mmCIF file with all atom_site columns, all heavy atoms in Angstrom:
data_model
loop_
_atom_site.group_PDB
_atom_site.id
_atom_site.type_symbol
_atom_site.label_atom_id
_atom_site.label_alt_id
_atom_site.label_comp_id
_atom_site.label_asym_id
_atom_site.label_entity_id
_atom_site.label_seq_id
_atom_site.pdbx_PDB_ins_code
_atom_site.Cartn_x
_atom_site.Cartn_y
_atom_site.Cartn_z
_atom_site.occupancy
_atom_site.B_iso_or_equiv
_atom_site.pdbx_formal_charge
_atom_site.auth_seq_id
_atom_site.auth_comp_id
_atom_site.auth_asym_id
_atom_site.auth_atom_id
_atom_site.pdbx_PDB_model_num
ATOM 1   N N   . THR A 1 1  ? 220.339 145.631 233.613 1.00 0.00 ? 120 THR A N   1
ATOM 2   C CA  . THR A 1 1  ? 220.587 145.291 235.116 1.00 0.00 ? 120 THR A CA  1
ATOM 3   C C   . THR A 1 1  ? 221.989 144.679 235.166 1.00 0.00 ? 120 THR A C   1
ATOM 4   O O   . THR A 1 1  ? 222.267 143.850 234.343 1.00 0.00 ? 120 THR A O   1
ATOM 5   C CB  . THR A 1 1  ? 219.571 144.258 235.483 1.00 0.00 ? 120 THR A CB  1
ATOM 6   O OG1 . THR A 1 1  ? 218.134 144.826 235.290 1.00 0.00 ? 120 THR A OG1 1
ATOM 7   C CG2 . THR A 1 1  ? 219.625 143.945 237.018 1.00 0.00 ? 120 THR A CG2 1
ATOM 8   N N   . VAL A 1 2  ? 222.645 145.002 236.288 1.00 0.00 ? 121 VAL A N   1
ATOM 9   C CA  . VAL A 1 2  ? 223.910 144.520 236.564 1.00 0.00 ? 121 VAL A CA  1
ATOM 10  C C   . VAL A 1 2  ? 223.843 143.505 237.795 1.00 0.00 ? 121 VAL A C   1
ATOM 11  O O   . VAL A 1 2  ? 223.315 143.934 238.802 1.00 0.00 ? 121 VAL A O   1
ATOM 12  C CB  . VAL A 1 2  ? 224.944 145.519 236.758 1.00 0.00 ? 121 VAL A CB  1
ATOM 13  C CG1 . VAL A 1 2  ? 226.337 144.925 236.954 1.00 0.00 ? 121 VAL A CG1 1
ATOM 14  C CG2 . VAL A 1 2  ? 225.027 146.507 235.552 1.00 0.00 ? 121 VAL A CG2 1
ATOM 15  N N   . SER A 1 3  ? 224.456 142.371 237.734 1.00 0.00 ? 122 SER A N   1
ATOM 16  C CA  . SER A 1 3  ? 224.363 141.439 238.828 1.00 0.00 ? 122 SER A CA  1
ATOM 17  C C   . SER A 1 3  ? 225.764 140.811 239.034 1.00 0.00 ? 122 SER A C   1
ATOM 18  O O   . SER A 1 3  ? 226.548 140.919 238.082 1.00 0.00 ? 122 SER A O   1
ATOM 19  C CB  . SER A 1 3  ? 223.265 140.286 238.572 1.00 0.00 ? 122 SER A CB  1
ATOM 20  O OG  . SER A 1 3  ? 223.475 139.650 237.372 1.00 0.00 ? 122 SER A OG  1
ATOM 21  N N   . ASP A 1 4  ? 225.830 139.995 239.920 1.00 0.00 ? 123 ASP A N   1
ATOM 22  C CA  . ASP A 1 4  ? 227.125 139.144 240.146 1.00 0.00 ? 123 ASP A CA  1
ATOM 23  C C   . ASP A 1 4  ? 226.904 137.816 239.572 1.00 0.00 ? 123 ASP A C   1
ATOM 24  O O   . ASP A 1 4  ? 225.904 137.580 239.025 1.00 0.00 ? 123 ASP A O   1
ATOM 25  C CB  . ASP A 1 4  ? 227.447 139.237 241.696 1.00 0.00 ? 123 ASP A CB  1
ATOM 26  C CG  . ASP A 1 4  ? 226.507 138.341 242.592 1.00 0.00 ? 123 ASP A CG  1
ATOM 27  O OD1 . ASP A 1 4  ? 225.586 137.770 242.120 1.00 0.00 ? 123 ASP A OD1 1
ATOM 28  O OD2 . ASP A 1 4  ? 226.625 138.435 243.732 1.00 0.00 ? 123 ASP A OD2 1
ATOM 29  N N   . ALA A 1 5  ? 227.879 136.930 239.770 1.00 0.00 ? 124 ALA A N   1
ATOM 30  C CA  . ALA A 1 5  ? 227.769 135.587 239.076 1.00 0.00 ? 124 ALA A CA  1
ATOM 31  C C   . ALA A 1 5  ? 226.678 134.732 239.675 1.00 0.00 ? 124 ALA A C   1
ATOM 32  O O   . ALA A 1 5  ? 226.242 133.865 238.983 1.00 0.00 ? 124 ALA A O   1
ATOM 33  C CB  . ALA A 1 5  ? 229.123 134.855 239.430 1.00 0.00 ? 124 ALA A CB  1
ATOM 34  N N   . GLN A 1 6  ? 226.267 134.983 240.991 1.00 0.00 ? 125 GLN A N   1
ATOM 35  C CA  . GLN A 1 6  ? 225.118 134.341 241.558 1.00 0.00 ? 125 GLN A CA  1
ATOM 36  C C   . GLN A 1 6  ? 223.731 134.871 241.255 1.00 0.00 ? 125 GLN A C   1
ATOM 37  O O   . GLN A 1 6  ? 222.792 134.303 241.555 1.00 0.00 ? 125 GLN A O   1
ATOM 38  C CB  . GLN A 1 6  ? 225.306 134.205 243.044 1.00 0.00 ? 125 GLN A CB  1
ATOM 39  C CG  . GLN A 1 6  ? 226.431 133.322 243.465 1.00 0.00 ? 125 GLN A CG  1
ATOM 40  C CD  . GLN A 1 6  ? 227.752 133.766 243.352 1.00 0.00 ? 125 GLN A CD  1
ATOM 41  O OE1 . GLN A 1 6  ? 228.178 135.046 243.388 1.00 0.00 ? 125 GLN A OE1 1
ATOM 42  N NE2 . GLN A 1 6  ? 228.685 132.928 242.864 1.00 0.00 ? 125 GLN A NE2 1
ATOM 43  N N   . GLY A 1 7  ? 223.651 136.043 240.474 1.00 0.00 ? 126 GLY A N   1
ATOM 44  C CA  . GLY A 1 7  ? 222.467 136.610 240.097 1.00 0.00 ? 126 GLY A CA  1
ATOM 45  C C   . GLY A 1 7  ? 222.029 137.701 241.091 1.00 0.00 ? 126 GLY A C   1
ATOM 46  O O   . GLY A 1 7  ? 220.883 138.228 240.960 1.00 0.00 ? 126 GLY A O   1
ATOM 47  N N   . ALA A 1 8  ? 222.714 138.084 242.180 1.00 0.00 ? 127 ALA A N   1
ATOM 48  C CA  . ALA A 1 8  ? 222.356 139.063 243.045 1.00 0.00 ? 127 ALA A CA  1
ATOM 49  C C   . ALA A 1 8  ? 222.645 140.516 242.333 1.00 0.00 ? 127 ALA A C   1
ATOM 50  O O   . ALA A 1 8  ? 223.722 140.593 241.796 1.00 0.00 ? 127 ALA A O   1
ATOM 51  C CB  . ALA A 1 8  ? 223.171 138.997 244.369 1.00 0.00 ? 127 ALA A CB  1
ATOM 52  N N   . VAL A 1 9  ? 221.724 141.435 242.419 1.00 0.00 ? 128 VAL A N   1
ATOM 53  C CA  . VAL A 1 9  ? 221.902 142.659 241.796 1.00 0.00 ? 128 VAL A CA  1
ATOM 54  C C   . VAL A 1 9  ? 223.010 143.512 242.466 1.00 0.00 ? 128 VAL A C   1
ATOM 55  O O   . VAL A 1 9  ? 223.308 143.285 243.750 1.00 0.00 ? 128 VAL A O   1
ATOM 56  C CB  . VAL A 1 9  ? 220.489 143.504 241.801 1.00 0.00 ? 128 VAL A CB  1
ATOM 57  C CG1 . VAL A 1 9  ? 219.569 142.771 240.960 1.00 0.00 ? 128 VAL A CG1 1
ATOM 58  C CG2 . VAL A 1 9  ? 220.102 143.741 243.139 1.00 0.00 ? 128 VAL A CG2 1
ATOM 59  N N   . LEU A 1 10 ? 223.632 144.313 241.739 1.00 0.00 ? 129 LEU A N   1
ATOM 60  C CA  . LEU A 1 10 ? 224.729 145.105 242.157 1.00 0.00 ? 129 LEU A CA  1
ATOM 61  C C   . LEU A 1 10 ? 224.451 146.586 242.076 1.00 0.00 ? 129 LEU A C   1
ATOM 62  O O   . LEU A 1 10 ? 224.580 147.166 241.033 1.00 0.00 ? 129 LEU A O   1
ATOM 63  C CB  . LEU A 1 10 ? 226.094 144.742 241.416 1.00 0.00 ? 129 LEU A CB  1
ATOM 64  C CG  . LEU A 1 10 ? 226.681 143.411 241.528 1.00 0.00 ? 129 LEU A CG  1
ATOM 65  C CD1 . LEU A 1 10 ? 227.793 143.217 240.593 1.00 0.00 ? 129 LEU A CD1 1
ATOM 66  C CD2 . LEU A 1 10 ? 227.141 143.158 242.978 1.00 0.00 ? 129 LEU A CD2 1
ATOM 67  N N   . PRO A 1 11 ? 224.117 147.233 243.183 1.00 0.00 ? 130 PRO A N   1
ATOM 68  C CA  . PRO A 1 11 ? 224.003 148.798 243.206 1.00 0.00 ? 130 PRO A CA  1
ATOM 69  C C   . PRO A 1 11 ? 225.365 149.332 243.063 1.00 0.00 ? 130 PRO A C   1
ATOM 70  O O   . PRO A 1 11 ? 226.356 148.742 243.624 1.00 0.00 ? 130 PRO A O   1
ATOM 71  C CB  . PRO A 1 11 ? 223.201 148.964 244.522 1.00 0.00 ? 130 PRO A CB  1
ATOM 72  C CG  . PRO A 1 11 ? 223.589 147.879 245.356 1.00 0.00 ? 130 PRO A CG  1
ATOM 73  C CD  . PRO A 1 11 ? 223.745 146.607 244.487 1.00 0.00 ? 130 PRO A CD  1
ATOM 74  N N   . GLY A 1 12 ? 225.514 150.565 242.677 1.00 0.00 ? 131 GLY A N   1
ATOM 75  C CA  . GLY A 1 12 ? 226.737 151.333 242.736 1.00 0.00 ? 131 GLY A CA  1
ATOM 76  C C   . GLY A 1 12 ? 227.657 150.969 241.646 1.00 0.00 ? 131 GLY A C   1
ATOM 77  O O   . GLY A 1 12 ? 228.894 151.480 241.689 1.00 0.00 ? 131 GLY A O   1
ATOM 78  N N   . VAL A 1 13 ? 227.251 150.193 240.585 1.00 0.00 ? 132 VAL A N   1
ATOM 79  C CA  . VAL A 1 13 ? 228.175 149.979 239.485 1.00 0.00 ? 132 VAL A CA  1
ATOM 80  C C   . VAL A 1 13 ? 228.279 151.181 238.526 1.00 0.00 ? 132 VAL A C   1
ATOM 81  O O   . VAL A 1 13 ? 227.209 151.743 238.186 1.00 0.00 ? 132 VAL A O   1
ATOM 82  C CB  . VAL A 1 13 ? 227.848 148.692 238.741 1.00 0.00 ? 132 VAL A CB  1
ATOM 83  C CG1 . VAL A 1 13 ? 228.694 148.518 237.474 1.00 0.00 ? 132 VAL A CG1 1
ATOM 84  C CG2 . VAL A 1 13 ? 227.697 147.458 239.724 1.00 0.00 ? 132 VAL A CG2 1
ATOM 85  N N   . THR A 1 14 ? 229.503 151.514 238.225 1.00 0.00 ? 133 THR A N   1
ATOM 86  C CA  . THR A 1 14 ? 229.652 152.799 237.244 1.00 0.00 ? 133 THR A CA  1
ATOM 87  C C   . THR A 1 14 ? 229.491 152.097 235.884 1.00 0.00 ? 133 THR A C   1
ATOM 88  O O   . THR A 1 14 ? 230.241 151.157 235.519 1.00 0.00 ? 133 THR A O   1
ATOM 89  C CB  . THR A 1 14 ? 231.043 153.434 237.381 1.00 0.00 ? 133 THR A CB  1
ATOM 90  O OG1 . THR A 1 14 ? 231.003 153.963 238.781 1.00 0.00 ? 133 THR A OG1 1
ATOM 91  C CG2 . THR A 1 14 ? 231.051 154.614 236.531 1.00 0.00 ? 133 THR A CG2 1
ATOM 92  N N   . VAL A 1 15 ? 228.640 152.661 235.140 1.00 0.00 ? 134 VAL A N   1
ATOM 93  C CA  . VAL A 1 15 ? 228.333 152.126 233.728 1.00 0.00 ? 134 VAL A CA  1
ATOM 94  C C   . VAL A 1 15 ? 228.697 153.374 232.749 1.00 0.00 ? 134 VAL A C   1
ATOM 95  O O   . VAL A 1 15 ? 228.166 154.483 232.945 1.00 0.00 ? 134 VAL A O   1
ATOM 96  C CB  . VAL A 1 15 ? 226.923 151.756 233.406 1.00 0.00 ? 134 VAL A CB  1
ATOM 97  C CG1 . VAL A 1 15 ? 226.859 151.165 232.094 1.00 0.00 ? 134 VAL A CG1 1
ATOM 98  C CG2 . VAL A 1 15 ? 226.540 150.699 234.497 1.00 0.00 ? 134 VAL A CG2 1
ATOM 99  N N   . THR A 1 16 ? 229.672 153.102 232.000 1.00 0.00 ? 135 THR A N   1
ATOM 100 C CA  . THR A 1 16 ? 230.118 154.289 231.057 1.00 0.00 ? 135 THR A CA  1
ATOM 101 C C   . THR A 1 16 ? 229.988 153.776 229.658 1.00 0.00 ? 135 THR A C   1
ATOM 102 O O   . THR A 1 16 ? 230.216 152.718 229.205 1.00 0.00 ? 135 THR A O   1
ATOM 103 C CB  . THR A 1 16 ? 231.703 154.518 231.236 1.00 0.00 ? 135 THR A CB  1
ATOM 104 O OG1 . THR A 1 16 ? 231.890 154.806 232.655 1.00 0.00 ? 135 THR A OG1 1
ATOM 105 C CG2 . THR A 1 16 ? 232.117 155.603 230.450 1.00 0.00 ? 135 THR A CG2 1
ATOM 106 N N   . VAL A 1 17 ? 229.381 154.780 228.706 1.00 0.00 ? 136 VAL A N   1
ATOM 107 C CA  . VAL A 1 17 ? 229.206 154.409 227.399 1.00 0.00 ? 136 VAL A CA  1
ATOM 108 C C   . VAL A 1 17 ? 230.021 155.484 226.550 1.00 0.00 ? 136 VAL A C   1
ATOM 109 O O   . VAL A 1 17 ? 230.156 156.664 226.858 1.00 0.00 ? 136 VAL A O   1
ATOM 110 C CB  . VAL A 1 17 ? 227.660 154.657 226.859 1.00 0.00 ? 136 VAL A CB  1
ATOM 111 C CG1 . VAL A 1 17 ? 226.939 153.551 227.422 1.00 0.00 ? 136 VAL A CG1 1
ATOM 112 C CG2 . VAL A 1 17 ? 227.166 156.080 227.123 1.00 0.00 ? 136 VAL A CG2 1
ATOM 113 N N   . THR A 1 18 ? 230.687 154.911 225.507 1.00 0.00 ? 137 THR A N   1
ATOM 114 C CA  . THR A 1 18 ? 231.392 155.817 224.500 1.00 0.00 ? 137 THR A CA  1
ATOM 115 C C   . THR A 1 18 ? 231.044 155.417 223.178 1.00 0.00 ? 137 THR A C   1
ATOM 116 O O   . THR A 1 18 ? 230.604 154.239 222.876 1.00 0.00 ? 137 THR A O   1
ATOM 117 C CB  . THR A 1 18 ? 232.924 155.632 224.767 1.00 0.00 ? 137 THR A CB  1
ATOM 118 O OG1 . THR A 1 18 ? 233.237 154.267 224.588 1.00 0.00 ? 137 THR A OG1 1
ATOM 119 C CG2 . THR A 1 18 ? 233.358 156.062 225.996 1.00 0.00 ? 137 THR A CG2 1
ATOM 120 N N   . SER A 1 19 ? 231.134 156.394 222.296 1.00 0.00 ? 138 SER A N   1
ATOM 121 C CA  . SER A 1 19 ? 230.708 156.059 220.897 1.00 0.00 ? 138 SER A CA  1
ATOM 122 C C   . SER A 1 19 ? 231.184 157.333 220.069 1.00 0.00 ? 138 SER A C   1
ATOM 123 O O   . SER A 1 19 ? 231.308 158.420 220.498 1.00 0.00 ? 138 SER A O   1
ATOM 124 C CB  . SER A 1 19 ? 229.236 155.988 220.691 1.00 0.00 ? 138 SER A CB  1
ATOM 125 O OG  . SER A 1 19 ? 228.807 155.891 219.347 1.00 0.00 ? 138 SER A OG  1
ATOM 126 N N   . PRO A 1 20 ? 231.469 156.991 218.725 1.00 0.00 ? 139 PRO A N   1
ATOM 127 C CA  . PRO A 1 20 ? 231.746 158.105 217.858 1.00 0.00 ? 139 PRO A CA  1
ATOM 128 C C   . PRO A 1 20 ? 230.576 159.055 217.655 1.00 0.00 ? 139 PRO A C   1
ATOM 129 O O   . PRO A 1 20 ? 230.690 160.250 217.363 1.00 0.00 ? 139 PRO A O   1
ATOM 130 C CB  . PRO A 1 20 ? 232.146 157.410 216.477 1.00 0.00 ? 139 PRO A CB  1
ATOM 131 C CG  . PRO A 1 20 ? 232.592 156.095 216.832 1.00 0.00 ? 139 PRO A CG  1
ATOM 132 C CD  . PRO A 1 20 ? 231.868 155.699 218.093 1.00 0.00 ? 139 PRO A CD  1
ATOM 133 N N   . ALA A 1 21 ? 229.420 158.507 217.916 1.00 0.00 ? 140 ALA A N   1
ATOM 134 C CA  . ALA A 1 21 ? 228.178 159.219 217.808 1.00 0.00 ? 140 ALA A CA  1
ATOM 135 C C   . ALA A 1 21 ? 227.950 160.297 218.963 1.00 0.00 ? 140 ALA A C   1
ATOM 136 O O   . ALA A 1 21 ? 227.206 161.192 218.956 1.00 0.00 ? 140 ALA A O   1
ATOM 137 C CB  . ALA A 1 21 ? 226.948 158.431 217.710 1.00 0.00 ? 140 ALA A CB  1
ATOM 138 N N   . LEU A 1 22 ? 228.760 160.120 220.071 1.00 0.00 ? 141 LEU A N   1
ATOM 139 C CA  . LEU A 1 22 ? 228.633 161.028 221.234 1.00 0.00 ? 141 LEU A CA  1
ATOM 140 C C   . LEU A 1 22 ? 229.713 161.932 221.190 1.00 0.00 ? 141 LEU A C   1
ATOM 141 O O   . LEU A 1 22 ? 230.758 161.748 220.673 1.00 0.00 ? 141 LEU A O   1
ATOM 142 C CB  . LEU A 1 22 ? 228.855 160.202 222.519 1.00 0.00 ? 141 LEU A CB  1
ATOM 143 C CG  . LEU A 1 22 ? 227.712 159.346 223.024 1.00 0.00 ? 141 LEU A CG  1
ATOM 144 C CD1 . LEU A 1 22 ? 228.083 158.572 224.295 1.00 0.00 ? 141 LEU A CD1 1
ATOM 145 C CD2 . LEU A 1 22 ? 226.501 160.281 223.344 1.00 0.00 ? 141 LEU A CD2 1
ATOM 146 N N   . ILE A 1 23 ? 229.515 163.138 221.705 1.00 0.00 ? 142 ILE A N   1
ATOM 147 C CA  . ILE A 1 23 ? 230.548 164.147 222.022 1.00 0.00 ? 142 ILE A CA  1
ATOM 148 C C   . ILE A 1 23 ? 231.029 163.799 223.499 1.00 0.00 ? 142 ILE A C   1
ATOM 149 O O   . ILE A 1 23 ? 230.069 164.048 224.464 1.00 0.00 ? 142 ILE A O   1
ATOM 150 C CB  . ILE A 1 23 ? 230.089 165.569 221.816 1.00 0.00 ? 142 ILE A CB  1
ATOM 151 C CG1 . ILE A 1 23 ? 229.686 165.664 220.462 1.00 0.00 ? 142 ILE A CG1 1
ATOM 152 C CG2 . ILE A 1 23 ? 231.056 166.602 222.363 1.00 0.00 ? 142 ILE A CG2 1
ATOM 153 C CD1 . ILE A 1 23 ? 229.011 167.036 220.084 1.00 0.00 ? 142 ILE A CD1 1
ATOM 154 N N   . GLY A 1 24 ? 232.153 163.273 223.694 1.00 0.00 ? 143 GLY A N   1
ATOM 155 C CA  . GLY A 1 24 ? 232.508 162.916 225.102 1.00 0.00 ? 143 GLY A CA  1
ATOM 156 C C   . GLY A 1 24 ? 232.060 161.500 225.543 1.00 0.00 ? 143 GLY A C   1
ATOM 157 O O   . GLY A 1 24 ? 231.804 160.660 224.797 1.00 0.00 ? 143 GLY A O   1
ATOM 158 N N   . VAL A 1 25 ? 231.944 161.499 226.855 1.00 0.00 ? 144 VAL A N   1
ATOM 159 C CA  . VAL A 1 25 ? 231.548 160.147 227.426 1.00 0.00 ? 144 VAL A CA  1
ATOM 160 C C   . VAL A 1 25 ? 230.386 160.338 228.375 1.00 0.00 ? 144 VAL A C   1
ATOM 161 O O   . VAL A 1 25 ? 230.251 161.415 229.036 1.00 0.00 ? 144 VAL A O   1
ATOM 162 C CB  . VAL A 1 25 ? 232.814 159.623 228.344 1.00 0.00 ? 144 VAL A CB  1
ATOM 163 C CG1 . VAL A 1 25 ? 232.405 158.396 228.995 1.00 0.00 ? 144 VAL A CG1 1
ATOM 164 C CG2 . VAL A 1 25 ? 233.995 159.353 227.508 1.00 0.00 ? 144 VAL A CG2 1
ATOM 165 N N   . GLN A 1 26 ? 229.504 159.388 228.510 1.00 0.00 ? 145 GLN A N   1
ATOM 166 C CA  . GLN A 1 26 ? 228.388 159.455 229.370 1.00 0.00 ? 145 GLN A CA  1
ATOM 167 C C   . GLN A 1 26 ? 228.575 158.304 230.451 1.00 0.00 ? 145 GLN A C   1
ATOM 168 O O   . GLN A 1 26 ? 228.847 157.277 229.996 1.00 0.00 ? 145 GLN A O   1
ATOM 169 C CB  . GLN A 1 26 ? 227.053 159.364 228.661 1.00 0.00 ? 145 GLN A CB  1
ATOM 170 C CG  . GLN A 1 26 ? 226.650 160.506 227.939 1.00 0.00 ? 145 GLN A CG  1
ATOM 171 C CD  . GLN A 1 26 ? 225.177 160.491 227.429 1.00 0.00 ? 145 GLN A CD  1
ATOM 172 O OE1 . GLN A 1 26 ? 224.449 159.793 227.928 1.00 0.00 ? 145 GLN A OE1 1
ATOM 173 N NE2 . GLN A 1 26 ? 224.988 161.437 226.406 1.00 0.00 ? 145 GLN A NE2 1
#
């Protein structure tokens, strides 16, 4: 879950994962 400093949840945040185990980026 992604939230702001006050604890309110944040919709619309882009979360990107990278790893040598992946081909490309997700």
Side-chain angles (χ1 to χ4, degrees):
T120 303
V121 182
S122 60
D123 64 9
Q125 285 74 36
V128 295
L129 293 174
V132 177
T133 300
V134 184
T135 305
V136 293
T137 56
S138 171
L141 282 178
I142 298 173
V144 174
Q145 288 190 19

